[in-house]
Coordinates of all heavy atoms in Angstrom, one line a residue:
M1 N 123.9 110.5 121.2 CA 122.6 110.1 120.7 C 121.7 111.3 121.0 O 121.6 111.8 122.0 CB 122.1 109.0 121.4 CG 122.9 107.6 121.1 SD 122.6 107.0 119.4 CE 121.0 106.3 119.7
S2 N 120.9 111.6 119.8 CA 119.8 112.6 120.1 C 118.5 112.1 120.4 O 118.2 110.9 119.9 CB 119.8 113.5 118.9 OG 119.4 112.8 117.7
M3 N 117.8 112.8 121.1 CA 116.4 112.4 121.5 C 115.6 112.5 120.2 O 115.7 113.4 119.5 CB 115.8 113.3 122.6 CG 116.5 113.1 124.0 SD 116.1 111.6 124.6 CE 114.5 111.8 125.3
P4 N 114.6 111.6 120.1 CA 113.5 111.8 119.1 C 112.8 113.0 119.1 O 112.4 113.3 120.3 CB 112.7 110.5 119.1 CG 112.9 110.0 120.4 CD 114.3 110.3 120.9
R5 N 112.5 113.7 118.1 CA 111.8 115.0 118.2 C 110.4 114.8 118.6 O 109.7 113.8 118.1 CB 111.8 115.7 116.8 CG 113.1 116.4 116.6 CD 113.1 117.1 115.2 NE 112.0 118.3 115.3 CZ 112.1 119.3 114.5 NH1 113.0 119.3 113.5 NH2 111.2 120.2 114.7
A6 N 109.9 115.5 119.4 CA 108.5 115.4 120.0 C 107.6 115.9 118.8 O 107.9 116.8 118.1 CB 108.2 116.3 121.2
P7 N 106.4 115.1 118.6 CA 105.5 115.6 117.5 C 105.0 116.9 117.9 O 104.7 117.3 119.0 CB 104.6 114.4 117.6 CG 104.6 113.8 118.9 CD 105.9 114.0 119.3
A8 N 104.6 117.5 116.7 CA 104.0 118.9 116.8 C 102.6 118.8 117.5 O 102.1 117.6 117.4 CB 103.8 119.4 115.4
R9 N 102.2 119.7 118.2 CA 101.0 119.7 119.0 C 99.8 119.5 118.2 O 98.9 118.7 118.6 CB 100.8 121.0 119.7 CG 99.9 121.0 120.8 CD 99.7 122.3 121.7 NE 101.1 122.3 122.4 CZ 101.3 123.2 123.3 NH1 100.6 124.3 123.4 NH2 102.4 123.5 124.0
N10 N 99.7 119.8 116.9 CA 98.6 119.7 116.0 C 99.0 118.5 115.1 O 98.1 118.5 114.0 CB 98.2 121.0 115.4 CG 99.4 121.5 114.4 OD1 100.5 120.9 114.6 ND2 99.1 122.4 113.7
A11 N 99.8 117.6 115.4 CA 100.2 116.7 114.4 C 98.9 115.7 114.2 O 98.7 115.3 112.9 CB 101.4 115.8 114.8
L12 N 98.2 115.3 115.2 CA 97.1 114.5 115.0 C 95.9 115.2 114.3 O 95.5 114.5 113.4 CB 96.5 114.1 116.4 CG 95.4 113.0 116.5 CD1 95.9 111.8 115.9 CD2 94.8 112.9 117.7
A13 N 95.8 116.4 114.4 CA 94.7 117.1 113.7 C 95.1 117.1 112.3 O 94.3 116.9 111.3 CB 94.6 118.5 114.2
V14 N 96.5 117.4 112.0 CA 96.8 117.4 110.5 C 96.6 116.2 109.9 O 96.2 116.0 108.7 CB 98.3 117.9 110.4 CG1 99.0 117.8 109.1 CG2 98.3 119.4 110.9
T15 N 97.0 115.0 110.6 CA 97.0 113.6 109.9 C 95.5 113.2 109.7 O 95.3 112.4 108.8 CB 97.7 112.7 110.7 OG1 97.2 112.6 112.1 CG2 99.3 112.9 110.7
T16 N 94.6 113.7 110.6 CA 93.3 113.2 110.3 C 92.5 114.0 109.1 O 91.6 113.6 108.6 CB 92.4 113.3 111.7 OG1 92.6 114.6 112.1 CG2 92.8 112.3 112.6
L17 N 93.0 115.3 108.9 CA 92.4 116.0 107.9 C 93.2 115.9 106.5 O 92.4 115.7 105.6 CB 92.8 117.7 108.2 CG 91.6 118.2 109.3 CD1 92.2 119.6 109.6 CD2 90.3 118.2 108.8
I18 N 94.4 115.6 106.7 CA 95.1 115.3 105.3 C 95.7 114.0 105.4 O 96.9 113.7 106.0 CB 96.2 116.3 105.1 CG1 95.5 117.7 105.1 CG2 96.9 116.1 103.8 CD1 96.5 118.9 105.1
D19 N 95.0 112.9 104.9 CA 95.5 111.5 105.0 C 95.8 110.8 103.6 O 95.9 109.7 103.5 CB 94.6 110.7 106.0 CG 93.1 110.9 105.7 OD1 92.7 111.5 104.7 OD2 92.4 110.5 106.5
F20 N 95.7 111.7 102.6 CA 96.1 111.1 101.2 C 97.3 112.1 100.7 O 97.0 113.3 100.7 CB 95.0 111.1 100.3 CG 95.4 110.8 98.9 CD1 95.6 109.4 98.6 CD2 95.8 111.7 98.0 CE1 96.2 109.2 97.4 CE2 96.2 111.5 96.7 CZ 96.4 110.1 96.5
V21 N 98.4 111.5 100.5 CA 99.5 112.2 99.8 C 100.0 111.3 98.6 O 100.3 110.2 98.7 CB 100.7 112.3 100.8 CG1 101.9 113.1 100.1 CG2 100.3 113.1 102.0
C22 N 99.8 112.0 97.5 CA 100.2 111.4 96.2 C 101.8 111.0 96.2 O 102.5 112.0 96.5 CB 99.9 112.1 95.0 SG 100.3 111.4 93.4
R23 N 102.1 109.9 96.0 CA 103.6 109.6 96.0 C 104.3 110.0 94.9 O 105.7 110.2 94.9 CB 103.7 108.0 96.1 CG 103.2 107.4 97.4 CD 103.5 105.9 97.6 NE 103.0 105.4 98.8 CZ 103.3 104.3 99.3 NH1 104.2 103.5 98.7 NH2 102.8 103.8 100.5
S24 N 103.6 110.4 93.8 CA 104.4 110.8 92.5 C 104.4 112.3 92.5 O 105.6 112.8 92.0 CB 103.7 110.2 91.3 OG 102.4 110.7 91.2
C25 N 103.4 113.1 92.9 CA 103.5 114.5 92.7 C 103.4 115.3 94.1 O 103.5 116.5 94.1 CB 102.4 115.0 91.8 SG 100.7 114.8 92.3
G26 N 103.1 114.5 95.3 CA 103.0 115.2 96.5 C 101.8 115.9 96.8 O 101.5 116.6 97.7
F27 N 100.6 115.6 95.8 CA 99.4 116.2 96.1 C 98.8 115.7 97.3 O 98.8 114.5 97.7 CB 98.6 115.8 94.9 CG 97.0 116.2 95.0 CD1 96.6 117.6 94.9 CD2 96.0 115.3 95.2 CE1 95.4 117.9 95.0 CE2 94.7 115.7 95.4 CZ 94.4 117.1 95.2
V28 N 98.2 116.6 98.1 CA 97.6 116.4 99.6 C 96.2 116.7 99.5 O 95.7 117.5 99.0 CB 98.4 117.1 100.5 CG1 97.7 116.9 102.0 CG2 100.0 116.8 100.5
E29 N 95.4 115.6 100.0 CA 94.1 115.7 100.2 C 93.5 114.9 101.2 O 94.2 113.9 101.6 CB 93.3 115.4 98.8 CG 91.8 115.8 98.7 CD 91.3 115.5 97.4 OE1 91.6 114.5 96.8 OE2 90.6 116.4 96.9
H30 N 92.3 115.2 101.7 CA 91.7 114.2 102.7 C 91.3 112.9 101.9 O 90.9 113.0 100.8 CB 90.3 115.0 103.2 CG 89.6 114.3 104.3 ND1 88.9 113.0 104.1 CD2 89.6 114.5 105.6 CE1 88.4 112.6 105.3 NE2 88.9 113.5 106.1
A31 N 91.5 111.9 102.6 CA 91.5 110.5 101.9 C 90.0 110.3 101.4 O 89.9 109.8 100.2 CB 91.8 109.4 102.9
D32 N 89.0 110.8 102.2 CA 87.6 110.5 101.8 C 87.2 111.4 100.5 O 86.5 111.0 99.6 CB 86.6 111.0 102.9 CG 86.7 109.8 104.0 OD1 87.2 108.7 103.7 OD2 86.1 110.1 105.1
L33 N 87.7 112.6 100.6 CA 87.6 113.5 99.5 C 88.2 113.0 98.2 O 87.7 113.0 97.2 CB 88.0 114.8 99.9 CG 87.6 116.0 99.0 CD1 86.0 116.2 99.0 CD2 88.3 117.5 99.6
N34 N 89.5 112.5 98.4 CA 90.3 112.0 97.3 C 89.5 110.7 96.7 O 89.4 110.6 95.4 CB 91.7 111.5 97.7 CG 92.4 111.0 96.5 OD1 92.8 111.6 95.6 ND2 92.8 109.7 96.7
A35 N 89.0 109.9 97.6 CA 88.3 108.7 97.2 C 87.1 109.0 96.3 O 86.7 108.5 95.4 CB 87.9 107.8 98.4
S36 N 86.4 110.2 96.8 CA 85.1 110.6 96.1 C 85.5 111.1 94.7 O 84.7 111.0 93.7 CB 84.3 111.6 96.8 OG 85.1 112.8 96.9
H37 N 86.7 111.8 94.5 CA 87.0 112.3 93.3 C 87.4 111.1 92.3 O 87.1 111.2 91.2 CB 88.3 113.2 93.6 CG 88.0 114.5 94.1 ND1 88.9 115.3 94.7 CD2 86.8 115.2 94.3 CE1 88.4 116.4 95.1 NE2 87.1 116.3 94.9
N38 N 88.1 110.1 92.8 CA 88.4 108.9 92.1 C 87.1 108.2 91.5 O 87.0 107.9 90.3 CB 89.2 107.9 92.8 CG 90.6 108.4 93.1 OD1 91.1 109.2 92.4 ND2 91.2 107.9 94.2
I39 N 86.1 108.0 92.4 CA 84.9 107.5 91.9 C 84.2 108.2 90.9 O 83.7 107.8 90.0 CB 84.0 107.3 93.3 CG1 84.6 106.2 94.2 CG2 82.6 106.8 92.8 CD1 84.0 106.1 95.6
G40 N 84.2 109.6 91.3 CA 83.6 110.6 90.3 C 84.3 110.4 88.8 O 83.5 110.5 87.9
R41 N 85.5 110.5 88.9 CA 86.3 110.3 87.5 C 86.0 108.9 86.9 O 85.8 108.9 85.5 CB 87.9 110.3 87.8 CG 88.3 111.8 87.7 CD 89.8 111.8 87.6 NE 90.4 111.3 88.8 CZ 90.8 112.0 89.8 NH1 90.3 113.3 89.9 NH2 91.2 111.6 91.0
R42 N 85.9 107.9 87.7 CA 85.6 106.6 87.1 C 84.2 106.7 86.4 O 84.0 106.2 85.2 CB 85.6 105.6 88.2 CG 85.7 104.3 87.5 CD 85.9 103.2 88.7 NE 87.0 103.4 89.6 CZ 87.2 102.8 90.8 NH1 86.4 101.9 91.2 NH2 88.3 103.1 91.5
G43 N 83.2 107.2 87.1 CA 81.9 107.2 86.6 C 81.9 108.2 85.3 O 81.1 107.9 84.2
W44 N 82.7 109.3 85.3 CA 82.7 110.2 84.1 C 83.2 109.4 83.0 O 82.7 109.6 81.9 CB 83.5 111.5 84.5 CG 83.8 112.2 83.3 CD1 83.1 113.3 82.9 CD2 85.0 112.2 82.5 NE1 83.7 113.9 81.7 CE2 84.9 113.1 81.6 CE3 86.2 111.5 82.6 CZ2 85.8 113.5 80.6 CZ3 87.1 111.7 81.6 CH2 87.0 112.7 80.6
W45 N 84.3 108.7 83.1 CA 84.9 108.0 82.1 C 84.0 106.9 81.5 O 83.9 106.8 80.2 CB 86.2 107.3 82.6 CG 86.9 106.6 81.5 CD1 87.1 105.3 81.4 CD2 87.6 107.3 80.4 NE1 88.0 105.0 80.3 CE2 88.1 106.2 79.6 CE3 87.8 108.5 80.0 CZ2 88.9 106.4 78.5 CZ3 88.5 108.8 78.8 CH2 89.0 107.8 78.1
I46 N 83.3 106.3 82.3 CA 82.3 105.1 81.9 C 81.2 106.0 81.0 O 80.8 105.5 79.9 CB 81.5 104.5 83.0 CG1 82.8 103.4 83.6 CG2 80.4 103.7 82.6 CD1 82.3 102.9 84.9
W47 N 80.9 107.2 81.4 CA 79.8 107.9 80.8 C 80.3 108.4 79.5 O 79.6 108.2 78.4 CB 79.4 109.2 81.6 CG 78.5 110.0 81.0 CD1 78.6 111.1 80.2 CD2 77.1 109.9 80.9 NE1 77.4 111.7 79.8 CE2 76.5 111.0 80.2 CE3 76.1 108.8 81.4 CZ2 75.0 111.0 80.0 CZ3 74.7 109.0 81.2 CH2 74.2 110.0 80.5
V48 N 81.5 108.9 79.3 CA 81.9 109.5 78.0 C 82.4 108.5 77.1 O 82.3 108.6 75.8 CB 83.1 110.6 78.3 CG1 82.7 111.8 79.1 CG2 84.3 110.0 78.9
T49 N 82.8 107.2 77.6 CA 83.1 106.2 76.7 C 82.0 105.4 76.2 O 82.0 104.4 75.4 CB 84.2 105.3 77.2 OG1 83.7 104.8 78.5 CG2 85.6 105.9 77.6
G50 N 80.8 105.7 76.8 CA 79.4 105.0 76.2 C 79.5 103.6 76.6 O 79.0 102.9 75.8
A51 N 80.1 103.1 77.8 CA 80.0 101.9 78.2 C 78.5 101.3 78.4 O 77.6 102.0 78.7 CB 80.5 101.7 79.6
R52 N 78.3 100.1 77.8 CA 76.9 99.6 77.9 C 76.8 98.5 79.0 O 77.7 97.8 79.2 CB 76.6 98.9 76.6 CG 76.7 99.7 75.3 CD 75.5 100.7 75.3 NE 75.6 101.7 74.1 CZ 74.6 102.5 73.9 NH1 73.6 102.5 74.5 NH2 74.9 103.3 72.8
S53 N 75.7 98.4 79.5 CA 75.5 97.4 80.7 C 75.5 96.0 80.0 O 74.9 95.8 78.8 CB 74.1 97.6 81.2 OG 73.8 96.6 82.2
T54 N 76.0 95.0 80.7 CA 76.0 93.7 80.2 C 74.9 92.8 80.9 O 74.8 91.7 80.7 CB 77.3 93.0 80.3 OG1 77.7 93.1 81.7 CG2 78.4 93.7 79.6
A55 N 74.2 93.5 81.8 CA 73.1 92.9 82.5 C 71.9 92.5 81.4 O 71.7 93.1 80.5 CB 72.6 93.7 83.5
P56 N 71.4 91.2 81.6 CA 70.3 90.8 80.7 C 69.2 91.7 80.9 O 68.8 92.2 81.8 CB 70.0 89.5 81.3 CG 70.5 89.3 82.6 CD 71.7 90.4 82.7
V57 N 68.4 91.9 79.8 CA 67.3 92.7 79.8 C 66.1 92.1 80.5 O 65.8 90.9 80.2 CB 66.8 93.2 78.3 CG1 65.5 93.9 78.2 CG2 68.0 93.9 77.6
L58 N 65.4 93.0 81.3 CA 64.4 92.4 82.2 C 63.1 92.3 81.2 O 62.9 93.3 80.6 CB 64.1 93.3 83.3 CG 65.1 93.0 84.5 CD1 64.7 93.9 85.5 CD2 65.1 91.6 84.8
T59 N 62.4 91.3 81.1 CA 61.1 91.2 80.5 C 60.0 90.9 81.4 O 60.1 90.1 82.2 CB 61.1 90.2 79.3 OG1 61.5 89.0 79.9 CG2 62.0 90.5 78.2
L60 N 59.1 91.7 81.6 CA 58.0 91.6 82.4 C 56.8 90.7 81.9 O 56.3 91.1 80.7 CB 57.4 93.0 82.8 CG 58.4 93.9 83.7 CD1 57.8 95.2 83.9 CD2 58.9 93.1 84.9
T61 N 56.5 89.7 82.4 CA 55.4 88.8 81.9 C 54.4 88.8 82.9 O 54.6 88.4 84.1 CB 56.0 87.4 81.6 OG1 56.5 86.9 82.7 CG2 56.8 87.3 80.5
A62 N 53.1 89.3 82.7 CA 52.1 89.3 83.7 C 51.2 88.0 83.7 O 51.3 87.2 82.7 CB 51.1 90.4 83.2
Ligands
ZN1 ZN1 99.7 113.0 91.9

């Protein structure tokens, strides 16, 4: 039986910096940065497809 390998000294630092790994292509990024990219792309898509708000129009009555 072999002993389990000791984790690298900087393993914790690496996992906190790079905590997103794409399962299909292996793309690596900080999870918060990746999330911001996803949110940005979603907003861009809504913008370019010209999505309209379904919220009722506010009418101000004095
Ligand atoms: Zn990917």
Side-chain angles (χ1 to χ4, degrees):
M1 294 288 281
S2 61
M3 292 287 289
R5 283 182 67 158
R9 192 170 294 179
N10 61 351
L12 182 63
V14 169
T15 52
T16 52
L17 283 172
I18 301 167
D19 40 12
F20 173 81
V21 179
C22 181
R23 292 185 181 198
S24 57
C25 70
F27 176 72
V28 171
E29 192 174 42
H30 189 287
D32 291 341
L33 197 58
N34 180 64
S36 70
H37 288 161
N38 290 338
I39 294 167
R41 265 193 298 274
R42 199 177 301 172
W44 170 83
W45 182 248
I46 288 169
W47 178 262
V48 296
T49 55
R52 302 282 176 179
S53 174
T54 56
V57 176
L58 286 176
T59 50
L60 299 175
T61 51

